[in-house]
Amino acid sequence: MAKRIFSGIQPSGIIHIGNYLGAIKQWVELQNNPPTGEDEAIFCIVDLHAITVRQNPEQLRKNTLSAAAWYIACGINPQKSDIFIQSTRPEHTELAWILSCYTQIGELARMTQYKEKTQKLQNDLGDTGFIVKAAPSAGLLTYPTLMAADILLYQTTTVPVGEDQVQHVELTRDIAKRFNNLYGQTFTIPDYSTKISGKRIMALDDPSKKMSKSAASEYNYMALSDSPEKIRQKIRKAVTDSGTQVKYEKDQPAISNLLNIHSEISGKEVAELEDEFSSKNYGEFKEALADTIISHLAPIQSKYNSLMQSPTELEKILKAGSEKVASTAQKTLSDVKTKIGLLNL
Ligand code: AQP
């Protein structure tokens, strides 16, 4: 059986280095060096997940196209991998509904992301300028069943996600096993490997929280689109710890996060960086980190800018991707419907 890789990002804001280091960079490596030599890779822009919290419609459209441009600029090659927008394949919502009937409310309510996003909604006044403070929607609760549908529709074997999404993949595995036990082999049980997941990148303004697109302050995240001046400013402003040494320590979460970012971008081990900066202060380390990020992002940003000059070309790539994955999605959905007793007329 061919191995299939599936993953996605929500166009809920501007893609940041957490998304890049935690997910996209690994996708590119998998695409270019598939473990079995015969893998297919599907990378989705999960816009239906993004609407589980309020989005400004115009901004959502822009972010969706922009996500496709970032995927390609970072190295996803549409000749090798399929890139498409989730909402263009109706099989996702249809299967998600069916799977929600095989998922317990308690399983969904205990998901960390649900708890965190619910709390955030209740504390925030909202920063989209479109709709303010809201109670959590049913969609926010059932988010993992839509994610399960995304993964299971394609008989996915491998899901490269950041560590924060592992809990959702585990639930996907449980739902798939439950369904297979009831109706016979239907879904491939997907796997994730922490080896192919990047480290969790924490917020620049609060290292106890993960870097997040939808954060209220832009100083939380480093967007892939940030200008060199902005990158330098954000790194200078990034919180540091009470110590003075550039050392990775559990009780020094801010400098440890900055070391992680440097290491993931430069490819140098954290220990090597500790040596390199052993006689330097935080300020000097931060300048070096800013330089590293700026030079790493420069070619990616230039490719992104040129892709965004031709939105119709991007739309063509996304349409072709959607058509290419259609038959697998339709086959799985049809099998599921037959098995549970729906008339496939
Ligand atoms: N801070 C992070 N560190 C490492 N990996 C991360 N990912 C997200 N944030 C970090 C990984 O990026 C992929 C896509 O994430 P997503 O857009 O589906 O949802 P998310 O995890 O909720 O990302 P954000 O940026 O925090 O978005 P919002 O603010 O809209 O919720 C996933 O593989 C994720 O692990």
Side-chain angles (χ1 to χ4, degrees):
M1 185 190 62
K3 290 207 160 192
R4 194 172 281 124
I5 295 161
F6 181 98
S7 199
I9 291 187
Q10 305 178 69
S12 46
I14 306 171
I15 292 184
H16 53 71
I17 55 167
N19 300 132
Y20 173 62
L21 300 174
I24 305 176
K25 197 158 155 271
Q26 276 60 243
W27 300 355
V28 174
E29 273 160 32
L30 281 169
Q31 169 198 265
N32 295 341
N33 303 298
T36 62
E38 55 175 7
D39 286 305
E40 296 170 46
I42 304 176
F43 300 114
C44 191
I45 297 155
V46 290
D47 53 348
L48 293 169
H49 277 106
I51 61 163
T52 53
V53 293
R54 288 291 166 266
Q55 302 292 334
N56 176 312
E58 193 49 43
Q59 199 57 48
L60 180 60
R61 271 188 284 274
K62 274 194 195 144
N63 287 342
T64 303
L65 213 55
S66 149
W70 283 120
Y71 283 12
I72 299 170
C74 291
I76 299 300
N77 177 351
Q79 306 299 322
K80 291 188 181 171
S81 305
D82 304 320
I83 307 176
F84 76 102
I85 302 170
Q86 183 186 34
S87 63
T88 62
R89 289 256 51 92
E91 296 81 13
H92 289 247
T93 39
E94 216 176 322
L95 182 61
W97 169 256
I98 295 172
L99 296 181
S100 74
C101 300
Y102 293 83
T103 310
Q104 294 151 18
I105 294 172
E107 288 176 307
L108 298 169
R110 70 176 165 77
M111 292 290 114
T112 308
Q113 178 180 284
Y114 173 70
K115 289 190 209 155
E116 283 177 0
K117 290 207 169 171
T118 300
Q119 196 160 27
K120 188 161 177 281
L121 271 179
Q122 282 156 357
N123 295 339
D124 264 9
L125 277 179
D127 62 340
T128 60
F130 188 67
I131 290 180
V132 290
K133 186 168 178 171
S137 64
L140 195 58
L141 180 68
T142 56
Y143 179 115
T145 58
L146 180 57
M147 181 162 161
D150 298 340
I151 296 167
L152 299 177
L153 268 179
Y154 301 100
Q155 305 295 339
T156 301
T157 43
T158 312
V159 190
V161 284
E163 193 196 299
D164 57 307
Q165 290 289 336
V166 163
Q167 200 185 24
H168 288 159
V169 185
E170 276 168 351
L171 181 59
T172 299
R173 287 165 57 87
D174 290 345
I175 298 169
K177 284 182 198 159
R178 186 173 303 156
F179 197 95
N180 286 353
N181 283 339
L182 284 167
Y183 301 104
Q185 179 57 38
T186 309
F187 298 123
T188 301
I189 308 298
D191 209 354
Y192 58 86
S193 160
T194 41
K195 278 194 220 106
I196 53 163
S197 299
K199 289 192 185 128
R200 182 181 293 216
I201 304 299
M202 309 313 279
L204 298 175
D205 60 354
D206 179 356
S208 69
K209 300 207 173 83
K210 74 166 190 149
M211 187 176 281
S212 210
K213 289 180 225 100
S214 53
S217 161
E218 65 161 338
Y219 292 97
N220 167 292
Y221 56 82
M222 179 73 69
L224 292 188
S225 57
D226 280 340
S227 67
E229 299 71 39
K230 195 65 164 184
I231 293 173
R232 210 170 283 289
Q233 188 200 20
K234 284 187 178 180
I235 293 293
R236 281 182 185 155
K237 254 182 100 104
V239 299
T240 38
D241 308 292
S242 53
T244 49
Q245 281 230 296
V246 181
K247 255 197 139 355
Y248 191 101
E249 302 281 1
K250 256 211 159 96
D251 61 348
Q252 306 276 342
I255 196 71
S256 299
N257 185 41
L258 298 182
L259 272 165
N260 265 339
I261 295 174
H262 195 313
S263 163
E264 293 283 317
I265 289 189
S266 63
K268 293 181 186 173
E269 294 294 331
V270 167
E272 198 182 333
L273 291 169
E274 286 175 334
D275 264 4
E276 191 178 327
F277 291 96
S278 60
S279 59
K280 303 266 163 55
N281 60 31
Y282 284 167
E284 290 166 306
F285 171 70
K286 281 180 159 186
E287 289 307 311
L289 172 60
D291 289 340
T292 304
I293 300 174
I294 291 166
S295 57
H296 186 86
L297 290 186
I300 297 177
Q301 291 179 338
S302 132
K303 178 133 197 230
Y304 168 83
N305 290 333
S306 90
L307 286 161
M308 288 302 279
Q309 303 284 314
S310 329
T312 44
E313 279 309 304
L314 282 172
E315 283 168 11
K316 264 195 216 159
I317 291 172
L318 291 165
K319 271 193 179 171
S322 177
E323 281 160 19
K324 186 128 177 280
V325 298
S327 63
T328 312
Q330 285 159 358
K331 187 163 172 283
T332 303
L333 181 63
S334 161
D335 183 29
V336 167
K337 286 167 93 172
T338 304
K339 282 184 167 145
I340 62 174
L342 303 180
L343 287 182
N344 247 330
L345 299 177

